Amino acid sequence: MATQQTPSPLPPLHGGQLILATVAVALATFMNVLDTSIANVAIPTISGNMGVSVDEGTWVITVFAASNAVSIPMTGWLTQRVGQIRLFVGAIALFTLASWLCGIAPSLPVLLFARVLQGAVAGPLIPMSQAILLGSYPKEKSSMALALWAMTATVGPIAGPSLGGWITDSYNWSWIFYINIPVGIFAALVTWSIYRHRETPTRKLPIDLVGLVLLVTWVAALQIMLDKGRDLDWFNSPLIVGLAVTAFVSFTFFLIWELTEDHPIVDLRLFGQRNFSGGTIAISIAYGVFFGNLVLLPQWMQEYLNYRSVDAGLVMAPLGIFALLLSPVLGKLLPRSDARIIATVAFLCFAVVFYMRSNYVTQIDTWHLVWPTLLQGIPMALFFVPLTAIILSGQPPHRIPAAAGLSNFVRVFCGAVGTSIAGTVWNNRTVMHHERLTEVATSTNPVFTQQIDSIRALLHLNTGASNALFDAMLNAQAAMMGLNDIFYVSAAIFLLIIPLIWITRPAKGGAGADASAAH
């Protein structure tokens, strides 16, 4: 069973078998990425049903993210120990089991245990789906394989909030987990039936126990710090300080150990390659900015525009339209184009969309919320596939899982960092704008007193009620101005990271010739 030799690549799949395999692998990916966001809107309901506070309920999100972040970079090592197909099918089966456990959980501790398991086994699904699809398509169609993968990877987080809100409002929160069961069973059975004879060779590599412990320590500490920092007032909390110190020390030792270990749990030497490092950093920063804004926008709509969670999700839904329509087109275009040019166009489009949003007002109508969201689907389709092609270009088949796992880990982790930073900055900028606005809202300002008198006369309110209404209007304006600041800076960031794309070498034909032989 153990071997050191790289076998000849297996022939690609064809016809109906290829279609069925693509659907099964894509569904496994979609199921995974959907669960990164579908539970978010259900936290208040889950907390109420289990008799805990909302702050305690948010651990449902935190523990999933932490365990998922730990397991993703281990994909390359696990692939060599277990084999691609066994690892992928096993991860699907365990993810399905964990989803069932989440749905039947009678208490918060049981639910948290199930979410830890779910996050841990979900780690290999995204990088393995990339590798398996690349190995299923002919070399000249590897770009199409990446495009089909991107369709599911990008639409899942977008569909999550609206789908989760609808299920929670219409049925029961347990069903946000139960819907994974038929999908998981189908994906596992179909994938095993098609790929069981296409298993990759395994090697009995020694277990890098020290690297594993350090990885779990720094990732878990940093993830929990990012998720809970805002609620605990960041470094004014002893817990956050302790987590920060733990993350920093363990990460430092992790870097030193993994770079000197003969069989590291995470192959950090990949960052020595120009295309891998440039592409990974570019896609990770872009995803962090995008995902941070993706979280804030529906939150603002619900808090200040009085949108229901379902309605806020529907406003965000058009983001997936162009992402779905353009991904197959891009799969045909990419082999004849320079991936760097396409990625640059995507970043420019992102900058335009965020600049459009930086001019929002509190009285904005739904159409002006939907229009930039619809347009954002264009760069969504254009940036995932080219940058993934750049990252994987030139990688030999046996390193594809490790490269995909590590790059996805950095991307997902930057998504968590971006969400945390965006939330904190929004809060701070809102407070700042509130203070500036209240500086002129005094009884000595005739404009302010005239406004209060107008409100009182128009709505027949007493002085206290009119002042409270004015304060609510001021809060909404401050939050809007703070959010506009984030949109404006986001546009600037996308322009500033364009040079990262151009430090890479040209990558045509998707992930390159070697990548198409991924398994």
Side-chain angles (χ1 to χ4, degrees):
M1 182 175 177
T3 179
Q4 298 285 342
Q5 297 179 349
T6 302
S8 300
L10 292 169
L13 300 176
H14 296 282
Q17 192 178 45
L18 178 60
I19 295 174
L20 190 59
T22 302
V23 170
V25 173
L27 282 175
T29 305
F30 183 79
M31 177 178 66
N32 179 8
V33 296
L34 187 70
D35 262 53
T36 62
S37 60
I38 193 172
N40 296 15
V41 296
I43 293 302
T45 304
I46 294 174
S47 302
N49 288 355
M50 293 191 167
V52 299
S53 67
V54 174
D55 284 344
E56 291 176 289
T58 57
W59 282 102
V60 171
I61 301 170
T62 301
V63 297
F64 176 88
S67 60
N68 186 243
V70 168
S71 63
I72 290 175
M74 296 172 56
T75 301
W77 182 84
L78 287 170
T79 299
Q80 295 187 67
R81 288 276 300 194
V82 180
Q84 282 191 21
I85 308 306
R86 280 188 289 271
L87 176 62
F88 187 68
V89 174
I92 297 173
L94 289 173
F95 188 90
T96 306
L97 173 63
S99 298
W100 175 70
L101 292 175
C102 287
I104 66 170
S107 63
L108 185 62
V110 176
L111 178 58
L112 294 181
F113 167 78
R115 285 288 279 176
V116 169
L117 174 62
Q118 190 183 41
V121 299
L125 289 179
I126 289 181
M128 291 310 305
S129 63
Q130 286 178 325
I132 289 174
L133 280 181
L134 282 170
S136 303
Y137 280 72
K139 178 178 65 177
E140 63 275 9
K141 292 187 177 180
S142 57
S143 296
M144 182 60 70
L146 287 176
L148 293 172
W149 171 85
M151 287 171 61
T152 55
T154 56
V155 173
I158 300 165
S162 54
L163 182 60
W166 176 73
I167 291 174
T168 303
D169 291 345
S170 304
Y171 300 98
N172 183 282
W173 65 264
S174 296
W175 283 96
I176 65 177
F177 300 110
Y178 288 152
I179 60 173
N180 291 331
I181 296 175
V183 176
I185 292 173
F186 172 81
L189 291 176
V190 173
T191 303
W192 181 250
S193 66
I194 293 176
Y195 289 101
R196 67 181 185 275
H197 301 303
R198 300 170 66 89
E199 184 61 273
T200 56
T202 59
R203 291 192 295 160
K204 197 169 184 180
L205 298 174
I207 299 175
D208 178 18
L209 189 59
V210 174
L212 178 60
V213 171
L214 290 172
L215 174 69
V216 171
T217 303
W218 81 260
V219 171
L222 190 55
Q223 184 72 52
I224 294 172
M225 185 192 83
L226 292 171
D227 283 356
K228 295 299 181 182
R230 185 181 172 187
D231 296 334
L232 300 177
D233 197 19
W234 289 105
F235 294 103
N236 290 321
S237 165
L239 175 61
I240 296 300
V241 172
L243 289 170
V245 172
T246 301
F248 176 77
V249 173
S250 55
F251 177 70
T252 302
F253 280 103
F254 173 79
L255 284 180
I256 297 171
W257 181 269
E258 293 299 277
L259 289 173
T260 56
E261 171 67 18
D262 291 334
H263 300 285
I265 198 78
V266 180
D267 189 2
L268 296 179
R269 297 178 183 88
L270 287 164
F271 281 104
Q273 303 172 10
R274 185 196 301 181
N275 278 25
F276 181 86
S277 57
T280 297
I281 295 172
I283 198 173
S284 299
I285 295 176
Y287 186 78
V289 175
F290 158 75
F291 199 74
N293 281 273
L294 185 68
V295 171
L296 289 189
L297 194 54
Q299 183 180 336
W300 168 68
M301 286 188 282
Q302 291 176 70
E303 288 185 18
Y304 296 99
L305 301 185
N306 297 319
Y307 278 63
R308 297 181 304 164
S309 58
V310 177
D311 296 331
L314 290 175
V315 170
M316 301 303 297
L319 183 57
I321 294 176
F322 279 120
L324 283 171
L325 295 178
L326 293 181
S327 290
V329 177
L330 184 61
K332 294 183 177 181
L333 177 65
L334 187 58
R336 301 187 294 272
S337 309
D338 188 334
R340 299 174 300 176
I341 295 176
I342 298 176
T344 300
V345 172
F347 282 10
L348 290 172
C349 291
F350 269 124
V352 170
V353 168
F354 284 119
Y355 180 75
M356 292 171 62
R357 285 181 174 153
S358 69
N359 296 299
Y360 277 174
V361 295
T362 53
Q363 301 301 318
I364 190 169
D365 58 66
T366 302
W367 168 247
H368 285 90
L369 290 171
V370 170
W371 176 237
T373 302
L374 178 65
L375 293 180
Q376 192 174 345
I378 298 174
M380 276 292 295
L382 296 181
F383 97 104
F384 251 103
V385 179
L387 287 175
T388 301
I390 290 172
I391 291 168
L392 300 182
S393 62
Q395 296 290 348
H398 68 279
R399 298 195 79 180
I400 290 287
L406 184 53
S407 63
N408 275 286
F409 162 71
V410 178
R411 177 180 62 81
V412 171
F413 194 74
C414 280
V417 173
T419 301
S420 181
I421 292 175
T424 301
V425 171
W426 185 32
N427 181 70
N428 293 342
R429 296 296 293 182
T430 299
V431 171
M432 185 207 72
H433 285 299
H434 187 277
E435 290 176 350
R436 289 185 175 180
L437 291 171
T438 53
E439 287 175 0
V440 297
T442 65
S443 59
T444 59
N445 186 334
V447 176
F448 170 72
T449 55
Q450 182 181 5
Q451 181 71 21
I452 291 295
D453 290 340
S454 299
I455 292 175
R456 187 185 304 123
L458 181 65
L459 301 178
H460 306 289
L461 301 175
N462 58 35
T463 301
S466 59
N467 285 334
L469 179 59
F470 181 84
D471 186 63
M473 294 168 59
L474 189 144
N475 288 337
Q477 288 291 341
M480 182 70 271
M481 295 168 72
L483 193 61
N484 283 348
D485 291 343
I486 292 177
F487 290 145
Y488 190 82
V489 172
S490 298
I493 291 174
F494 271 103
L495 295 178
L496 291 173
I497 62 176
I498 287 176
L500 288 171
I501 300 171
W502 292 92
I503 69 172
T504 64
R505 296 184 179 91
K508 292 187 177 182
D514 293 329
S516 66
H519 90 90

